[in-house]
Amino acid sequence: MIQKPIAGRLSLAAAAALGLFASTLAAPLAMAGECPKDQIAANAMAPGATAPEGVTDEVLASIDLSSKGSAWEGNALRLRKLVVQPGGIVPWHSHDARPANILVVEGTITEYRSSCKVPIEHKAGEVTAEFGELAHWWKNNGSKPAVLYSADILPPMQADDHAM
């Protein structure tokens, strides 16, 4: 049997498994719900809840970025798992100094964003990027827990490892 070189010298079976994994991983992901263009406005949504409720926040991994130069001094790259129970709340917070990518793995969750006049629904399989002039809060208005994975850069001024 002649094997074609795929990514070096992967066997045909390994290449097939890799392709299956990649297509399985890529297929369910989509950009998260967005604010309708006619609903975008500055300070469109007033600040919401200020305390977490019915949410667990587990730091799965954290990397101290200080060794990457003085510009990164005190920053950490972290991966968290958040489980938001029905009726649960991730409180109002901003992303001006803390960029994040959120993957909704299970359930649905509603975002109340400072730049949108209407709530935004996020479903399992969607990813949303959070950065810049964004402040918001989230609520699980569904009947099942919402499971989210958050990858963010925690700046030195937010030393609390569980800052929402």
Side-chain angles (χ1 to χ4, degrees):
M1 175 165 137
I2 299 174
Q3 293 181 338
K4 294 182 180 178
I6 301 173
R9 298 228 38 171
L10 289 178
S11 71
L12 190 54
L18 183 60
L20 178 61
F21 173 74
S23 66
T24 302
L25 182 63
L29 298 181
M31 288 309 292
E34 295 182 10
C35 183
K37 291 186 193 281
D38 65 340
Q39 298 297 312
I40 297 172
N43 300 314
M45 185 76 61
T50 58
E53 184 178 314
V55 59
T56 58
D57 178 357
E58 177 185 3
V59 176
L60 302 174
S62 185
I63 300 170
D64 180 357
L65 298 175
S66 296
S67 66
K68 296 300 175 190
S70 61
W72 291 102
E73 189 67 36
N75 288 274
L77 173 62
R78 65 183 180 168
L79 177 64
R80 299 179 298 148
K81 177 181 180 182
L82 291 93
V83 179
V84 186
Q85 296 301 320
I89 293 171
V90 174
W92 184 264
H93 59 280
S94 70
H95 287 277
D96 55 342
R98 186 176 54 86
N101 286 309
I102 306 294
L103 170 63
V104 181
V105 179
E106 295 177 29
T108 61
I109 192 142
T110 306
E111 176 186 13
Y112 299 87
R113 183 180 282 214
S114 61
S115 60
C116 190
K117 295 177 185 177
V118 296
I120 303 167
E121 188 74 15
H122 299 280
K123 302 173 197 152
E126 293 181 341
V127 176
T128 185
E130 304 173 335
F131 188 58
E133 298 296 318
L134 168 66
H136 62 166
W137 66 286
W138 302 67
K139 182 173 183 182
N140 182 349
N141 292 315
S143 59
K144 299 179 194 173
V147 179
L148 316 171
Y149 284 94
S150 172
D152 64 357
I153 296 176
L154 187 66
M157 64 193 140
Q158 292 183 336
D160 176 9
D161 208 27
H162 291 281
M164 297 281 174

